[in-house]
Amino acid sequence: YTLSLHDALPISADPDRFVLNGHKIWNGLAQLSDRSFTLCRAGDTPDPRAGLTVALVDLSCPGVTRRPIKAMTGRNEYAEVFFDDVAVSTRQLVGGLNQGWTVIGHLMQYERGTYGWPRQARLHNRVDDLVAAAGPALASDPRRLGETCLDVIALRLKCRRSLRQLADSGAGPGASASVDKLLLVRAETAVAELAHEACFPDVELGEDDVARGWRYNYLYARALAVFGGTNEVQ
């Protein structure tokens, strides 16, 4: 599944169907997805939020075009999606017509609030890998390593609180999920930059699997401050 934003226009001859037109760039892995949770605008309303609708659209249906986008990492991380007169039935609407603002607000707190949990586990492993690979270089500035570890621990504690709130009450973390996202960006960036400095120039020029892995992390960390809502949006 992928998430995108388009414009939707109702078909006047059939009130039970809609026609989707528009496009969006930077859809995460949309070239591999079967369906898209597509945030659409069905008509003009005084309140821009009131006219939003979420549709679950089959990306294999006629009128859908996907163009992969290669990121700095060398991988096709994203895709640009074009919708040209794509038919959407009312059965494909998530939450009903004009309920998109409510639906997307509910979903985003999970994207921001739960995504950090598996990422922090991976970051803990990456810190261990970095110490094993570049211990002498890190020993010259132990304070920097300590601050990086604290960033990862802070992310873990905040994500654990969000997941516990979800498990105990069934309610998501709400607006505090933005804190999870900000802590994730800080921790990912701190680990990537520390590795870049400690393992330089291998991270820049190395061709073995270890160097390529760190180089990918360093470049990918730049995208974290953008997707899922920029730091400024949070």
Side-chain angles (χ1 to χ4, degrees):
Y1 293 89
T2 187
L3 180 66
S4 51
L5 172 64
H6 303 273
D7 291 325
L9 299 175
I11 299 177
S12 57
D14 186 352
D16 294 327
R17 302 182 70 211
F18 299 85
V19 169
L20 184 60
N21 283 286
H23 86 283
K24 180 180 179 289
I25 199 169
W26 311 127
N27 297 277
L29 300 177
Q31 73 276 13
L32 304 177
S33 301
D34 295 322
R35 294 174 178 82
S36 168
F37 286 103
T38 306
L39 185 61
C40 314
R41 184 173 299 284
D44 296 326
T45 59
D47 182 354
R49 296 172 296 182
L52 295 175
T53 299
V54 174
L56 184 58
V57 182
D58 187 341
L59 295 179
S60 65
C61 65
V64 177
T65 303
R66 291 176 280 180
R67 297 178 183 173
I69 300 173
K70 183 175 290 187
M72 288 192 302
T73 60
R75 302 182 184 181
N76 291 330
E77 303 276 1
Y78 319 97
E80 188 171 12
V81 181
F82 296 83
F83 281 31
D84 297 304
D85 293 331
V86 176
V88 177
S89 71
T90 55
R91 293 190 302 172
Q92 293 172 258
L93 304 186
V94 180
L97 186 64
N98 296 329
Q99 297 300 310
W101 180 258
T102 300
V103 172
I104 207 68
H106 181 75
L107 291 176
M108 288 300 286
Q109 65 179 335
Y110 293 98
E111 180 191 35
R112 295 168 182 165
T114 62
Y115 178 73
W117 183 253
R119 296 296 298 187
Q120 64 80 27
R122 181 177 181 277
L123 283 174
H124 273 87
N125 288 331
R126 295 303 278 167
V127 171
D128 290 342
D129 293 341
L130 181 58
V131 171
L138 296 172
S140 64
D141 189 3
R143 180 185 180 91
R144 177 74 181 282
L145 174 60
E147 291 174 345
T148 300
C149 290
L150 287 176
D151 286 338
V152 178
I153 292 171
L155 172 63
R156 179 182 181 86
L157 293 175
K158 179 60 177 70
C159 290
R160 185 175 66 177
R161 179 184 300 173
S162 297
L163 292 176
R164 180 167 293 169
Q165 181 180 357
L166 175 62
D168 292 344
S169 65
S176 73
S178 291
V179 179
D180 298 54
K181 175 60 165 53
L182 289 170
L183 291 175
L184 172 62
V185 172
R186 187 170 73 178
E188 290 265 9
T189 302
V191 173
E193 291 185 347
L194 182 60
H196 181 266
E197 295 173 13
C199 300
F200 190 84
D202 288 349
V203 173
E204 295 278 358
L205 305 174
E207 289 301 327
D208 58 83
D209 291 341
V210 174
R212 288 175 178 173
W214 284 116
R215 183 159 58 245
Y216 175 83
N217 289 343
Y218 181 71
L219 295 173
Y220 189 75
R222 298 300 182 268
L224 284 166
V226 178
F227 68 67
T230 64
N231 286 0
E232 292 78 7
V233 167
Q234 308 304 331

